[in-house]
Amino acid sequence: MFKYASRNLISVTPKSCSAQLFSASFATVRGFKYEPESSEDIDSSSDKDFILSILRANPSARDARSYLASFGARPRPVPVPVLPPLPVPPDYQIARDVQRVPEEPRASPIVTSILDPVHHKTALVKIQGPFTDRQLESIARGMVNLQKLGVVSVIIVDQDQVPRGEEGERKVILEETMRVVEALEKQGAKTRPVLGAIVRLGPMPVEVPNVGSSRTPMPEAHTFPSDLSPILSALRAGEIPVLSPFALDSFCRSARIDANDVIAALARGMVEAAQLDRSHQSTHTANSEISIDVDLTPMRLMIISREGGVPSYARSGLPHLLVNLESEYKFIQDTFQPSWKGTHPASLSNLALAHTCLTYMPTTSSAIMVNHRAPSSLIGNLITNKPAVSSSLPHALLQGNRSLTPNTPTLLRRGLSVEVVRDYSFGRVLDSGAFYRRLEKHLDFVIVAGDYAGAAIVTRETSITDPSAPPIVYLDKFAVLPSHQGDGTVDFLWVALHDETYGLGLPFSVNPNGGKEGRGEGEDLVWRSRANNPVNKWYFERSTGHLRMGDWILFWCDAEKRLKTEEGRRASAGLSYVEEWEHGRLGLWADVIPRETDWFVHIIVFVASTIIRTVCDRLTPVHV
């Protein structure tokens, strides 16, 4: 058997309350308390860390193309000047010497892209302290590096050790906010502290349309697009806004509220403001004051705390790697162990925050819960939008992976539902094709992700030469739509496949996907792929072993419970390379794998997903 090792300080308020309070000019705090260090002192070490963080991300060609598509140079549209009507002489004859109004010079798209080379996007960042000066320095360096890559952070500062309602809490919160501001400016960033309230207490009025779905929990605070002008002004000036968790009540009094409510209100409000801005976008940019082009829609939610990611029962308390909120949110809450409430008291509330915010944010957005000890992981997440370690890798490999530590961040996506259909009947007569006739006889189960964004078909194949041999669990089709490649769907699908086949019987396979939910005995999973399939690298990383057969490669995953049981019996002796039950199985697999599917190449393409949808449409679940 193949082993895994080999194998200026401002206060702002919304417009409705500004008359009762005061107005303030906006200014950066640069130089307010000290002079920042020279650029030579900053760049010598921070630039090196910045480059190393990018290299550690190890982005693929697809990751690089996706990043450039989001943050590459985008020349601003050049407006066409509107000419006034020409004067007409009394005799209705146009004199030849009438001078046309000269056209205003148009800005060259190349020059515009040089002056403004990056299309900036925003990220909502929760800094959940308290942190030491050294820890804040590390966090601030990460925020500055993100800005270099085109993401400007909107930071909300929280302080866990100051209970709400305690005397003097406002002073402590403001001091903590200014500490974050100072740490950022020491790293060479321009900041703008927003110490007044941006959001309003209470849910959004009913008459305002909801950006999220009907099941989205309503934030306990809200904001209107006009309230966000301080944030937008700072972003367009290239400054990082740093907010305190304050909100206005119905009497226009500023009060401290839960930072999660502020962030949720901002997530919804910024999305609405961005939509409004795009629908009323002005065309006069050539003569406008040069400012940074900013998309107010938050593309990332970053939660930086001392706890880091959400602990997972499947990883003995180590963090979840990738969370599909659509299908795993309630399950994670139900399996959260009581002992973790002492070590990770804010994990569930931050999980709920991510669930609320991602419902309003675009589907391509993601949230990351990260420890203050791993700020460089924010760079990797921004470039690749993937977890630090793939969650679909073999469990034994993950357990022995040194990169999986208590400081490993958790990546959260809105995700999509994953459903296993095992009990079914064919609702109508299938096509006469051999493929569909074989499915009618051998189909075991189908896994569907979302609205057919991805799916897997698993069959049970029997041997003609040896009828007594147990049937082979065969992965017949595995496909994800191109529009969902890179968004975690392939990992969600493979984890569900693991839990229904070779991972059965183990506690970490108990997942609510509608299948066996971990009950039963694991079985070897077998599949094959063309030798020139570019997806094979991904298969090699997840399989236990492989066998080359001419133009094909046979892959398999051993039943994990059986291996774990044998390892327990033999203690330190361990497993041999070829166990007794493995003799002869490769020859059997090579003979049994159906030749009828030779025309299909195991590659993630649209055509394959269309085939799966056709099959799934013909299945009628049987409710027992």
Side-chain angles (χ1 to χ4, degrees), residues 213 215 322-329 351 354-367 385 411-419 448-454 483-484 486-493:
S213 66
R215 297 184 301 164
L322 177 64
V323 174
N324 180 358
L325 290 171
E326 178 67 27
S327 62
E328 299 178 51
Y329 177 65
L351 179 71
H355 181 243
T356 301
C357 291
L358 288 177
T359 307
Y360 296 109
M361 294 160 63
T363 56
T364 54
S365 300
S366 63
N385 204 11
L411 181 67
L412 305 101
R413 289 185 172 277
R414 183 193 304 182
L416 65 178
S417 61
V418 178
E419 183 180 1
V448 181
D451 187 16
Y452 302 99
S483 58
H484 286 269
D487 68 355
T489 300
V490 64
D491 285 326
F492 300 150
L493 198 59

Side-chain angles (χ1 to χ4, degrees), residues 10 82 149 232 280 300 303 410 417 461 491 495 530 552 562:
I10 65 172
V82 179
L149 289 171
L232 186 57
H280 298 88
R300 293 286 190 278
I303 303 173
T410 296
S417 61
E461 307 295 339
D491 285 326
V495 169
R530 292 279 185 182
W552 295 88
R562 181 178 62 213

Side-chain angles (χ1 to χ4, degrees), residues 83-101:
L83 299 177
L86 294 176
V88 181
D91 56 358
Y92 299 97
Q93 293 183 359
I94 301 176
R96 294 182 178 180
D97 58 347
V98 172
Q99 300 294 324
R100 296 180 63 89
V101 178

Side-chain angles (χ1 to χ4, degrees), residues 428 435-436 446-448 450-457 477 479 481 606-619:
R428 49 182 173 171
F435 173 76
Y436 296 103
V446 177
I447 305 176
V448 181
D451 187 16
Y452 302 99
I457 296 177
K477 300 289 178 289
L481 287 175
F606 174 77
V607 175
S609 188
T610 303
I611 292 173
I612 292 176
R613 180 163 190 161
T614 302
V615 173
C616 293
D617 285 343
R618 299 174 183 274
L619 297 181

Side-chain angles (χ1 to χ4, degrees), residues 243-284:
L243 285 66
S244 299
F246 297 135
L248 288 174
D249 61 16
S250 58
F251 296 98
C252 291
R253 296 175 301 191
S254 177
R256 181 192 175 195
I257 65 172
D258 193 320
N260 288 359
D261 292 332
V262 176
I263 298 171
L266 287 176
R268 177 177 180 177
M270 291 170 69
V271 170
E272 292 176 345
Q275 292 175 350
L276 185 65
D277 182 61
R278 283 191 290 267
S279 62
H280 298 88
Q281 197 166 27
S282 172
T283 58
H284 55 280

